[in-house]
Amino acid sequence: PRHIALVIAQILMAVGHLLFAMAWPGTMYIGTFLVGLGYGAHWAIVPAAVSELFGVKHFGAMYNFLTVANPTGSLIFSGLIASNLYDYEAEKQAQRHQITALTSPRLLHNMGFLADGPLKCEGAVCFFVSSLMMSAFCVVGAGLSLMVIYRTKRVYTHLYSSNRT
């Protein structure tokens, strides 16, 4: 069944996000490849899996629902969760730098920490929690796909049985 491929894609994405969180040298390239591969696999596999499980009678509505899921997830994870975590880490760094500014304010101003404008976060800590959360959600997605595999085993056995004459 195609859901096994979805499990593999989710695991690839989970590993990619975990590599983002660890921020080891060179892992950005490998993580980007794994997340992109898993994401592309979803766009290729999910419509076919949905049509197999639910038929093609209302496939247009189901495909549109799947298409709306992408920007909705981006809004929730990128627009709300990741941005708030980034701002939180940037505020923590700014507070630490303000304490250090008492000893060397000119150095920190040259580095841009005391300059006017939006807060900025530096280092792997900025997206560490966000990447771990995305990795965890990918693992949950893989688990849910495994549940679908278990629950639809009879459907696929009947669908691909060798009773054809």
Side-chain angles (χ1 to χ4, degrees):
R2 287 176 171 81
H3 296 286
I4 292 173
L6 284 176
V7 171
I8 293 168
Q10 286 287 352
I11 290 171
L12 289 175
M13 289 176 66
V15 170
H17 284 294
L18 191 63
L19 289 174
F20 287 153
M22 295 300 119
W24 296 319
T27 58
M28 180 68 80
Y29 303 112
I30 300 167
T32 302
F33 174 73
L34 293 175
V35 171
L37 189 66
Y39 184 72
H42 274 88
W43 279 107
I45 298 168
V46 169
V50 166
S51 70
E52 271 185 358
L53 289 176
F54 302 107
V56 292
K57 185 175 181 184
H58 300 288
F59 181 72
M62 288 183 280
Y63 184 77
N64 286 332
F65 180 75
L66 293 171
T67 305
V68 169
N70 183 29
T72 304
S74 292
L75 173 69
I76 292 169
F77 292 114
S78 235
L80 300 176
I81 295 173
S83 64
N84 286 330
L85 290 171
Y86 179 90
D87 290 342
Y88 174 74
E89 291 296 332
E91 286 175 12
K92 280 181 18 182
Q93 284 185 6
Q95 288 174 355
R96 275 188 251 132
H97 293 303
Q98 285 176 353
I99 292 170
T100 311
L102 297 174
T103 60
S104 178
R106 186 164 186 79
L107 174 67
L108 287 175
H109 186 70
N110 290 340
M111 291 174 57
F113 288 112
L114 298 180
D116 294 334
L119 294 173
K120 63 180 178 180
C121 185
E122 292 184 353
V125 70
C126 302
F127 292 104
F128 177 75
V129 176
S130 302
S131 296
L132 285 181
M133 287 176 61
M134 291 302 294
S135 183
F137 281 120
C138 288
V139 169
V140 168
L144 292 173
S145 291
L146 286 172
M147 284 178 41
V148 169
I149 291 169
Y150 176 74
R151 294 192 60 156
T152 60
K153 190 179 259 187
R154 282 184 274 146
V155 172
Y156 280 108
T157 303
H158 178 66
L159 189 63
Y160 295 115
S161 65
S162 60
N163 296 355
R164 298 181 183 154
T165 58

